[in-house]
Amino acid sequence: QPYTTIRFSSRGKKQHNCTSLSLLQRNRYTSSMSNPAMQAKAQALNAKMEGEARVVLDEIERTVLRKKAKESYQCVVKCFDKAGTTGPSEVLEQCARNCQIPYQRANAFVQEETAQFQNRLSRAMMDCQDNAKDMLSPGMENDPKQMQKVEDSLLQCMSKAVDQHIALLKPMQKRIISQLK
């Protein structure tokens, strides 16, 4: 398997492959807001969360996954050295596959932790959305003051959830690093 890292699905940002971490689902949460200023604030929360997550995940990639990938490649080179020009290709292929297992497991663990983190964040955002929907009553969408109140509440809830999840990034990073060392 080729060298891989973490993917963030935001447009125009650094792209890696492995795990998609789209943190605030823009279409669902921000497009339902009628006020462009509120949409911009929600998108700023998204950028804040993605930026913080990127720092943590890039650090994991640099300090742990690269080392695992390097060890994997070094092991494969040793397989070729052992096989030389006369060793059976099946043995060489099996040796190379075995060399990649630790890196693949490490990568899978990072993907799993990232997916769990994203699921928790998504559930928090859905809870905010549900709370905002619960505040709505028939005809309220025609009352700008009431809609502003609902949108303010939604944005406040989303902001709190983002801050709580940003605080969870370092413990997640420590957990991943300690598991993979």
Side-chain angles (χ1 to χ4, degrees):
Q1 172 160 344
Y3 172 72
T4 55
T5 57
I6 307 301
R7 164 177 281 149
F8 299 95
S9 62
S10 57
R11 289 182 218 137
K13 303 254 170 98
K14 185 175 181 180
Q15 289 291 312
H16 304 281
N17 48 7
C18 268
T19 302
S20 174
L21 189 58
S22 177
L23 298 169
L24 298 182
Q25 298 169 357
R26 285 187 188 116
N27 295 339
R28 183 180 301 165
Y29 303 115
T30 60
S31 64
S32 63
M33 295 180 177
S34 60
N35 181 339
M38 296 297 281
Q39 287 180 5
K41 288 177 184 178
Q43 290 171 355
L45 284 174
N46 186 56
K48 177 182 176 182
M49 184 75 241
E50 286 184 356
E52 294 291 331
R54 183 174 302 104
V55 169
V56 167
L57 294 171
D58 281 351
E59 179 71 16
I60 291 167
E61 186 269 331
R62 283 191 308 276
T63 61
V64 179
L65 291 179
R66 284 184 190 179
K67 181 180 177 201
K68 294 278 185 192
K70 180 180 176 182
E71 291 167 356
S72 173
Y73 289 125
Q74 288 171 335
C75 179
V76 170
V77 168
K78 288 178 186 174
C79 293
F80 276 89
D81 290 342
K82 285 179 189 174
T85 57
T86 59
S89 62
E90 296 83 20
V91 172
L92 175 62
E93 289 170 10
Q94 183 60 43
C95 180
R97 277 193 297 273
N98 289 342
C99 288
Q100 294 176 16
I101 291 171
Y103 172 70
Q104 290 170 344
R105 285 184 180 154
N107 211 25
F109 181 73
V110 173
Q111 288 179 45
E112 183 180 317
E113 286 287 324
T114 304
Q116 288 175 5
F117 179 86
Q118 184 169 350
N119 287 339
R120 289 178 69 179
L121 180 58
S122 292
R123 286 192 310 269
M125 292 298 125
M126 287 190 297
D127 192 42
C128 291
Q129 186 76 6
D130 289 344
N131 290 340
K133 284 180 185 176
D134 290 344
M135 293 176 69
L136 295 174
S137 58
M140 188 182 270
E141 60 274 351
N142 297 326
D143 185 347
K145 275 188 172 182
Q146 289 298 319
M147 287 305 295
Q148 184 66 44
K149 190 183 272 188
V150 171
E151 288 179 354
D152 286 344
S153 176
L154 174 60
L155 196 59
Q156 184 179 13
C157 180
M158 291 169 64
S159 180
K160 182 178 177 184
V162 165
D163 289 342
Q164 288 172 339
H165 283 78
I166 286 172
L168 295 173
L169 286 169
K170 285 295 180 184
M172 180 183 77
Q173 178 184 23
K174 288 178 183 175
R175 189 171 51 253
I176 290 170
I177 289 173
S178 88
Q179 180 72 27
L180 298 180
K181 290 220 171 185

